[in-house]
């Protein structure tokens, strides 16, 4: 049989997953000679042997590749034979000019490593930093590509002879595992008091931490992507103390449980949910809680039917959870609205008032990455916060070939960078209000393009001039476009699902700046191949109070009623929002609503939720934006009977269709007079919005409907909307790999930027 030598180039997600060892073993099995190496563009192989064997080798490269790896391209080239006799792994070239490989996310401990951890006599028995080619830290420890130990935060740990032998043994699971470590050469634990004094080390540190958790203390733990705060999830007093100290009064707290068996003692788990929980990304999954259980009642709002649960993500978490035998609260190590802590000394300062003890280690975290949050909608995993386990994997968007940058929004920010058909999304970077989050945002903006080796040619940001991200955009010397907030929401879904116009984009959210300078949020946008327009929207209303109104649903409710019925509303003393305000506050609001210059105008469905929550007297003050809307969802979900929609008629105006909530409000107030159960009223409100979505879709004459924007984080609304629209024959899409909230803006902005550049190139091409 004739001998051949082939040069094989593999591109995609091929580094850090044991790809080279896999290639090595495969070449051995096939009896081929040659070599494999990692370079920044991907994996390069030269293999020599009989031509038919080479062909089956190349086939197996694709069909047998390691779990999680993604091959986007295999190219081959015939070379002259060199007569080599064995196969080897060559070191990475250090002078690569182009960085094109993907960076892997951090992956939860694999089953084999968990087994090592609990196997008496194993040399990694109870070692909290064990990992292998298939699991462990990646993105949080990578300094630069190509992915090799000297370019990670493991560089200062010299391998011991045993680890070195495993690292060099192609038959070993840890062959070329860059973060390989063991008790004699790797990172170690220590337990600090709030003064930073070492109380215990190694196993003793772990055991003292467990004692503290059993006693109801708050432990700050240096995890994979940053500090977490841990506390016994059954201890209401400890949970309350954590809430107060962290200034997180109402938002639900995530839990970590030992294994699927423990989760099932507290929650219902579907097959899709179980797969998410136990997968290598190991996100927080929102699950329906069981009624009878011994968890602290203050983990979530009273009405919340769900719990956010994750399984252990690192060996350290496995040890803690198994030793303790009870679930832990595992929430981000930060004060409310601030970035995650990653460094011990910083944690001592920032978490001093929260944590009783600090369980730390000496492996640096180079990049903060929060836990991801996912729920299952219509059988599909749907992101609520995309971070650990997912970031910075790209989404395939073949249309976008140029290197571009998008700066995202202001809340729940993410960044996006594109290159050759792929869009890389940063991890969730959070709200950009505090100076510390702004600093961190600037840092990511500066370092992420370098890490990915992308030099953007142009950038996109939101049209809102007050967003911190928009302000940063002005400081970057690149051609820039501003993308309308709700257009970006719709385009994010188009990018994710590869959709083309024509389609109808329902963008329902809190507030975003519209092209008419009012605050949109209840829009139906028509996207045609020739451009887009605002096709329909919620009848705009004024509200007063600015930022304060976002925490006071009564302000929104009275603004809405005042816009409809004028001064007469002040006489209607039966209205819950009037009763909720002190006389002085009511007087100020009355004056403000009578002065258009003190008001803002909005068409936001998110704000309509606020108004309803206030009118039902469900909630009159919020600790975070959207809290009232969330409670309204929970209240509606508690209604098990049928719920007739109230009318929200569409009325034609010269600019488009206007959805008028007045008949809904009249009907609601009548139902309140009848003292109908409030869960029924909340359910009727949801049914009304779902009916409105259907009417808007049928009115549009379009077949494809996109649902996007923060309102579609509402599980009840989204699930019912998908159902009713699909039954009526529409093709329905919603954000799944990116969140429906502002975390998806950057993805939409980058597609809008690409589209704009294409149009401009087209126009200038004609004028030549
Ligand atoms: Zn492993
Ligand atoms: Zn070692």
């Amino acid at each position: 049989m004739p001998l051949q030598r082939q040069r094989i180039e593999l591109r995609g997600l091929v580094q850090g997953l044991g790809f080279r060892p896999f290639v090595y073993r495969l070449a051995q099995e096939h009896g081929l000679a040659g070599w494999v190496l990692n370079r920044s563009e991907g994996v390069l192989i030269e293999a020599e042997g009989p031509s038919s064997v080479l062909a089956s080798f190349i086939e197996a490269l694709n069909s047998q590749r390691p779990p999680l790896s993604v091959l986007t391209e295999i190219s081959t080239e015939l070379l002259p034979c060199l007569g080599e006799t064995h196969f080897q792994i060559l070191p990475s070239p250090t002078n690569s000019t182009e960085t094109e490989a993907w960076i892997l996310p951090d992956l939860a401990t694999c089953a084999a490593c968990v087994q090592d951890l609990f196997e008496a006599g194993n040399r990694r028995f109870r070692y909290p930093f064990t990992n292998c080619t298939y699991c462990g830290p990646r993105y949080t420890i990578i300094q630069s590509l190509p992915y090799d130990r000297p370019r990670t935060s493991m560089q200062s740990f010299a391998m011991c002879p045993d680890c070195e032998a495993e690292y060099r043994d192609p038959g070993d699971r840890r062959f070329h595992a860059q973060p390989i470590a063991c008790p004699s050469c790797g990172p170690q634990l220590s337990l600090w008091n709030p003064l930073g004094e070492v109380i215990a080390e190694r196993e003793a540190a772990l055991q003292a931490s467990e004692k503290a958790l059993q006693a109801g203390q708050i432990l700050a733990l240096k995890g994979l992507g940053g500090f977490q705060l841990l506390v016994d999830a059954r201890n209401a007093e400890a949970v309350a103390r954590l809430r107060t100290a962290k200034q997180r009064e109402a938002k639900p707290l995530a839990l970590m449980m030992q294994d699927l068996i423990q989760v099932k003692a507290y929650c219902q788990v579907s097959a899709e949910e179980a797969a998410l929980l136990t997968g290598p990304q190991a996100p927080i999954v929102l699950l329906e809680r069981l009624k009878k259980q011994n968890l602290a009642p203050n983990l979530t709002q009273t009405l919340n039917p769900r719990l956010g649960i994750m399984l252990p993500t690192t060996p350290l978490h496995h040890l803690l959870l198994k030793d303790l035998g009870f679930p832990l609260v595992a929430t981000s190590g930060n004060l409310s609205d601030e970035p995650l802590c990653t460094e011990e000394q910083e944690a001592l300062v920032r978490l001093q008032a929260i944590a009783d003890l600090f369980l730390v280690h000496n492996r640096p975290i180079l990049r903060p990455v929060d836990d991801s949050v996912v729920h299952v909608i219509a059988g599909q995993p749907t992101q609520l916060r995309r971070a650990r386990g997912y970031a910075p994997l790209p989404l395939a968007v073949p249309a976008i070939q140029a290197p571009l940058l998008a700066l995202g929004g202001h809340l729940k920010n993410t960044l996006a960078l594109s290159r050759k058909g792929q869009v890389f999304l940063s991890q969730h970077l959070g709200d950009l209000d505090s100076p510390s989050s702004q600093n961190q945002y600037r840092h990511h903006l500066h370092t992420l393009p370098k890490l990915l080796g992308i030099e953007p040619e142009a950038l996109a940001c939101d049209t809102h001039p007050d967003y911190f991200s928009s302000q940063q955009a002005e400081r970057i010397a690149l051609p820039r476009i501003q993308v309308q907030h709700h257009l970006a929401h719709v385009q994010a879904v188009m990018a994710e699902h590869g959709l083309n116009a024509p389609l109808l984009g329902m963008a329902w959210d809190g507030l975003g700046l519209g092209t008419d300078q009012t605050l949109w949020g209840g829009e139906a946008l028509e996207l045609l191949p020739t451009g887009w327009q605002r096709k329909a929207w919620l009848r705009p209303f004024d509200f007063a109070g600015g930022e304060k109104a976002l925490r006071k649903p009564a302000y929104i409710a009275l603004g809405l009623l005042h816009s409809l019925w004028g001064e007469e509303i002040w006489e209607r003393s039966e209205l819950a929002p009037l009763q909720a305000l002190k006389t002085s506050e009511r007087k100020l609001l009355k004056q403000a609503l009578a002065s258009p210059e003190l008001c803002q105008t909005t068409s936001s469905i998110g704000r309509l939720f606020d108004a309803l929550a206030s009118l039902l007297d469900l909630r009159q003050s919020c600790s975070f934006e959207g809290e009232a809307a969330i409670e309204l969802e929970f209240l509606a979900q508690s209604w098990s009977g049928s719920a007739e929609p109230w009318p929200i008629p569409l009325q034609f105006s010269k600019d488009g269709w206007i959805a008028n909530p007045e008949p809904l409000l009249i009907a609601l107030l009548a139902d309140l007079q009848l003292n109908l159960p409030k869960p029924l009223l909340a359910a009727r409100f949801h049914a009304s919005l779902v009916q409105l979505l259907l009417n808007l879709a049928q009115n549009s004459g379009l077949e494809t409907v996109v649902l996007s924007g923060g309102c579609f984080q509402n599980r009840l609304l989204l699930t019912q909307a998908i159902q009713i629209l699909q039954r009526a024959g529409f093709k329905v899409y919603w954000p799944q790999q990116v969140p429906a909230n502002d975390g998806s803006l950057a993805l939409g902005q980058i597609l809008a930027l690409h589209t704009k550049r294409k149009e401009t190139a087209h126009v200038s091409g004609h004028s030549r």
Side-chain angles (χ1 to χ4, degrees):
M1 195 173 294
L3 285 185
Q4 260 187 8
R5 188 177 179 90
Q6 294 250 24
R7 181 189 171 90
I8 307 159
E9 237 187 299
L10 308 173
R11 290 185 184 221
L13 183 50
V14 290
Q15 291 189 351
L17 279 173
F19 217 98
R20 286 174 303 171
F22 156 70
V23 173
Y24 177 91
R25 284 196 292 266
L26 202 63
Q28 298 282 359
E29 280 167 33
H30 284 75
L32 296 170
W35 48 260
V36 56
L37 64 80
N38 253 354
R39 39 179 211 164
S40 42
E41 301 90 326
V43 167
L44 184 66
I45 304 166
E46 284 193 19
E48 190 168 327
S51 55
S52 63
V53 178
L54 268 174
S56 84
F57 171 69
I58 292 170
E59 199 278 320
L61 279 177
N62 187 32
S63 61
Q64 294 177 28
R65 68 193 150 75
L68 279 185
S69 63
V70 179
L71 272 187
T72 53
E73 201 182 311
I74 303 186
S75 57
T76 60
E77 188 191 332
L78 269 181
L79 297 175
C81 288
L82 297 179
E84 273 179 311
T85 53
H86 62 282
F87 199 91
Q88 55 182 325
I89 295 180
L90 295 182
S92 311
T94 47
N95 58 344
S96 272
T97 50
E98 201 188 3
T99 308
E100 267 204 14
W102 294 355
I103 293 174
L104 270 180
D106 304 274
L107 300 174
T109 310
C110 73
C113 284
V114 174
Q115 202 178 347
D116 288 353
L117 194 61
F118 293 110
E119 184 180 77
N122 190 297
R123 74 185 194 90
R124 291 187 179 81
F125 177 62
R126 294 187 65 81
Y127 177 57
F129 302 95
T130 183
N131 63 77
C132 75
T133 329
Y134 303 110
C135 73
R138 299 287 188 273
Y139 183 46
T140 54
I141 61 162
I142 294 177
Q143 214 138 42
S144 61
L145 289 182
Y147 175 56
D148 273 331
R149 192 172 174 109
R151 282 173 290 273
T152 71
S153 70
M154 284 298 291
Q155 59 176 314
S156 59
F157 296 93
M159 275 183 241
C160 69
D162 287 345
C163 284
E164 177 101 34
E166 290 167 337
Y167 184 85
R168 305 231 170 276
D169 173 7
D172 196 280
R173 194 171 89 244
R174 294 184 176 86
F175 180 50
H176 282 240
Q178 304 307 338
I180 187 172
C182 79
S184 51
C185 70
Q188 297 295 349
L189 288 178
S190 26
L191 185 65
W192 296 5
N193 67 16
L195 299 173
E197 294 159 352
V198 177
I199 304 174
E201 290 191 284
R202 302 193 176 207
E203 180 67 27
L206 186 61
Q207 291 188 5
S209 301
E210 290 167 358
K211 279 211 178 71
L213 285 166
Q214 280 161 341
Q217 294 201 301
I218 300 172
L219 182 71
L221 172 121
K222 186 179 176 189
L224 201 51
F227 273 81
Q228 289 172 321
L229 293 162
L230 306 182
V231 78
D232 181 349
R234 306 163 307 171
N235 185 332
E237 198 189 317
V239 171
R241 207 157 60 82
L242 174 63
R243 279 200 182 279
T244 310
K246 197 175 140 72
Q247 295 163 22
R248 189 181 172 104
E249 295 144 40
K251 285 189 187 173
L253 296 167
L255 304 182
M256 188 176 273
M257 295 196 181
Q258 185 184 333
D259 51 26
L260 210 48
I261 298 169
Q262 194 174 55
V263 178
K264 286 179 175 168
Y266 295 96
C267 295
Q268 287 176 34
V269 188
S270 71
E272 290 96 352
E273 289 161 345
L276 274 170
L277 284 166
T278 55
Q281 292 86 2
I284 297 168
V285 184
L286 298 191
L287 302 170
E288 293 289 321
R289 63 200 296 173
L290 300 178
K291 290 245 153 43
K292 237 175 96 93
Q293 45 174 263
N294 62 348
L295 294 175
N298 49 350
L299 293 173
T300 62
Q301 303 94 318
T302 329
L303 280 172
N304 191 339
R306 292 184 284 279
L307 289 171
I309 299 199
M310 66 184 141
L311 293 183
T313 50
T314 71
L316 177 55
H317 291 111
H318 276 284
L319 289 166
L320 279 172
L321 269 294
K322 181 148 189 191
D323 292 352
L324 290 170
F326 56 81
L328 292 175
V329 167
T331 185
S332 316
N334 53 4
L335 273 174
S336 194
D337 301 330
E338 287 202 350
L340 206 54
C341 283
T342 53
E343 206 268 325
E344 293 80 23
Q345 294 301 332
E346 178 202 0
L348 275 184
V349 177
R350 286 176 51 201
L351 305 180
Q352 193 171 41
I354 308 179
D356 299 309
L357 289 169
F358 293 75
L359 183 57
V360 301
H361 59 75
N362 53 346
R363 185 181 70 205
I365 299 172
L366 299 185
R367 210 164 282 107
V369 182
D370 257 302
D371 295 315
S372 295
V373 184
V374 181
H375 58 168
V376 174
I377 297 290
Q380 300 299 319
T382 297
Q383 293 280 350
L384 289 164
R385 181 168 77 193
R386 187 179 184 271
R388 178 180 53 71
Y390 301 93
L393 284 186
L395 275 67
V397 188
I400 308 178
Q401 290 292 316
L404 305 174
L405 167 67
L407 277 75
H410 190 74
L411 301 177
K412 303 182 170 71
N413 182 282
T414 57
L415 295 168
L417 284 149
S418 64
R419 175 184 62 208
K420 296 185 182 168
Q422 291 162 351
V423 178
F424 296 82
L425 272 181
S426 77
Q427 69 273 34
H428 163 88
L429 300 176
D431 298 352
L432 305 183
D433 284 320
S434 70
S436 51
S437 356
Q438 295 177 350
N439 277 337
Q440 202 179 81
Y441 176 76
R442 271 196 294 260
H443 174 75
H444 289 294
L445 186 56
H446 183 69
T447 53
L448 193 61
K450 285 189 183 145
L451 180 66
L452 296 167
I454 296 177
E455 281 181 45
E457 288 172 3
L459 68 84
C461 64
D462 197 272
T463 53
H464 202 308
D466 297 341
Y467 282 8
F468 183 73
S469 53
S470 307
Q471 291 164 356
Q472 291 306 300
E474 289 188 29
R475 296 161 172 254
I476 302 174
L478 282 176
R480 171 173 87 239
I481 69 157
Q482 296 176 324
V483 183
Q484 199 279 320
H485 194 92
H486 302 95
L487 178 66
H489 270 308
V490 175
Q491 296 227 301
V493 182
M494 295 173 69
E496 181 188 336
H497 293 280
L499 306 177
N500 289 312
L503 54 82
L504 188 69
M506 310 285 191
W508 285 9
D509 68 354
L511 299 171
L513 188 62
T515 55
D516 60 359
Q517 303 304 305
T518 69
L519 297 168
W520 293 5
E523 320 305 308
L525 306 180
E526 181 187 60
L527 279 85
L528 299 174
T530 47
W532 68 282
Q533 64 161 331
R534 188 188 189 202
K535 180 94 175 165
W537 57 93
L538 181 72
R539 175 170 160 177
F541 63 95
D542 287 357
F543 67 93
E547 283 287 307
K548 198 180 173 193
L550 304 183
R551 307 268 183 275
K552 290 260 187 178
Y555 283 36
I556 304 289
L558 292 170
L560 173 63
L561 298 184
H562 185 264
S563 289
L564 294 172
W565 301 324
E567 296 297 309
E568 74 172 68
I569 65 157
W570 305 110
E571 310 304 321
R572 300 189 57 172
S573 55
E574 83 280 8
L575 294 176
L578 273 182
Q579 291 167 6
L581 299 181
K582 288 191 210 109
T583 317
S584 55
E585 208 175 2
R586 211 183 303 166
K587 216 171 132 191
L588 280 174
L589 190 67
K590 190 175 168 182
Q591 283 168 5
L593 285 172
S595 327
E597 70 280 4
L598 296 178
C599 294
Q600 288 170 291
T601 303
T602 186
S603 54
S604 159
I605 296 282
R607 297 288 81 87
L608 186 61
F609 268 91
D610 286 351
L612 265 282
S614 172
L615 287 164
L616 292 178
D617 206 18
L618 179 61
R619 176 158 286 279
Q620 302 294 2
S621 89
C622 298
S623 63
F624 59 95
E625 193 248 348
E627 187 179 2
I630 293 171
E631 293 213 340
L632 198 54
E633 175 194 351
F634 297 155
L635 188 66
Q637 188 146 44
S638 72
W639 180 254
S640 52
S642 65
E644 283 295 302
W646 293 310
I648 312 178
L650 288 178
Q651 294 166 347
F652 187 69
S653 82
K654 68 175 169 40
D655 302 314
W657 293 86
I658 294 175
N660 184 4
E662 188 176 4
L664 174 144
L665 289 161
I666 293 171
L668 159 75
L669 295 178
D671 281 0
L672 275 172
Q673 289 284 323
L674 295 173
N675 272 324
L676 294 183
K678 287 184 179 173
L680 166 64
L681 303 190
R684 294 191 79 171
F685 177 60
H686 280 74
S688 315
L689 291 178
V690 170
Q691 185 62 44
L692 172 61
L693 286 168
L694 179 64
N695 293 348
L696 287 165
Q698 287 174 333
N699 193 48
S700 72
L702 296 164
E703 291 166 5
T704 302
V705 178
V706 160
L707 304 172
S708 191
C711 290
F712 293 105
Q713 295 171 101
N714 180 322
R715 191 185 172 90
L716 186 65
L717 179 70
L718 179 57
T719 310
Q720 293 186 350
I722 293 167
Q723 228 168 48
I724 199 169
L725 288 165
Q726 283 179 342
R727 271 193 208 139
F730 292 96
K731 290 190 207 106
V732 187
Y733 298 88
W734 70 97
Q736 293 170 12
Q737 295 191 55
V738 292
N741 60 41
D742 286 3
S744 64
L745 287 178
L747 176 62
Q749 288 169 353
I750 218 161
L751 181 61
L753 173 59
H754 160 76
T755 311
K756 185 84 182 172
R757 280 161 50 97
K758 212 172 62 183
E759 285 165 11
T760 316
H762 189 67
V763 170
S764 60
H766 274 285
S767 65
R768 247 181 252 131

